Amino acid sequence: MTDMLAPLLRVDSSADGAESVTRRLTSLFVERWRGEVRHRDLAADPVPPIREPYARLGRRVERRGIVPLHDIAALVADDDERREWDRTLPLITELREARTVLLGVPMYNFSVPAALKAWIDRVTFPGVFANALPDTRFVVVTARGGAYGPGTPREGFDFQEPYLRTYLTNLGVRPENLAFVHAELTRVGDLPALAGLEDLAEKSLTRARERILELTAA
Ligand SMILES: Cc1cc2nc3c(=O)[nH]c(=O)nc-3n(C[C@H](O)[C@H](O)[C@H](O)COP(=O)(O)O)c2cc1C
């Protein structure tokens, strides 16, 4: 990976702490990173779900087409909208300033955690990423209790990668700037239904760690 000195934005969303597989993998990524790191922990410091004044301001902005980020404040109509915009602008700025974004994403109910979705809904304010992300790299590190690869009984149940791939490419992220790293079968020690799959779980974690080392290699 080039441009190691540009800021890295690490976004964690696991409700687990030290036990979290995604947090351990995003920590490994950060240990290998040689530039500035900014950390947003959506479990410890949740982003509030969007409210009606956010939607109202969003519609007003959309009617004007693409509005430069710093002109949006002038369209705020009241204190409720101001409060929503004040909660939103720093998150958008942080994301636009990052050259690499590292997302730690546990699988919850076949999809992404609500904490991450609340952040996505808030940062994706109308128009603010138009032409802003062509050089931004995204590394998405997921962990799943089960397995979802080809030939598994739950093939087709993975609504994490397809959702995030569609969301990010629609936002303007180039496919070559998007990498997914999956650790599967993480609940093998807890769920009797997964007994006997310990080796596969170990291999999946080893592959995920190796992939992170590759992605952070100079
Ligand atoms: C609320 C919740 C929902 C979950 N849903 C799923 C699921 O749909 N499929 C699955 O394979 N594992 C599921 N799991 C297990 C997690 O994906 C697994 O524990 C993973 O390691 C979570 O990432 P983390 O270790 O970084 O927290 C769920 C766990 C929780 C807490």
Side-chain angles (χ1 to χ4, degrees), residues 16 21 144-146 184-192 194 201:
D16 256 316
V21 175
R144 296 94 180 269
E184 295 205 315
L185 295 165
T186 62
R187 300 297 298 278
V188 77
D190 302 317
L191 301 178
L194 302 181

Side-chain angles (χ1 to χ4, degrees), residues 54-69:
Y54 175 106
R56 209 188 316 132
L57 176 61
R59 278 196 304 278
R60 191 173 313 118
V61 169
E62 264 176 324
R63 284 195 290 268
R64 283 168 170 77
I66 303 295
V67 178
L69 185 60

Side-chain angles (χ1 to χ4, degrees), residues 141-153:
V141 176
T142 83
R144 296 94 180 269
Y148 297 86
T152 61

Side-chain angles (χ1 to χ4, degrees), residues 14 16 20-22 106-110 143-146 148 186-187:
S14 172
D16 256 316
S20 161
V21 175
T22 53
M107 178 180 278
Y108 287 171
N109 299 304
F110 308 116
R144 296 94 180 269
Y148 297 86
T186 62
R187 300 297 298 278

Side-chain angles (χ1 to χ4, degrees), residues 4-23:
M4 295 286 280
L5 295 179
L8 167 73
L9 174 62
R10 168 188 178 181
V11 180
D12 283 311
S13 59
S14 172
D16 256 316
E19 294 289 311
S20 161
V21 175
T22 53
R23 283 178 191 275

Side-chain angles (χ1 to χ4, degrees), residues 109-157:
N109 299 304
F110 308 116
S111 185
V112 302
L116 178 65
K117 188 59 166 54
W119 178 81
I120 287 174
D121 289 345
R122 194 165 278 279
V123 295
T124 319
F125 193 85
V128 298
F129 290 108
N131 306 318
L133 297 173
D135 298 319
T136 308
R137 291 188 179 81
F138 279 77
V139 177
V140 181
V141 176
T142 83
R144 296 94 180 269
Y148 297 86
T152 61
R154 288 187 166 178
E155 180 182 355
F157 284 35

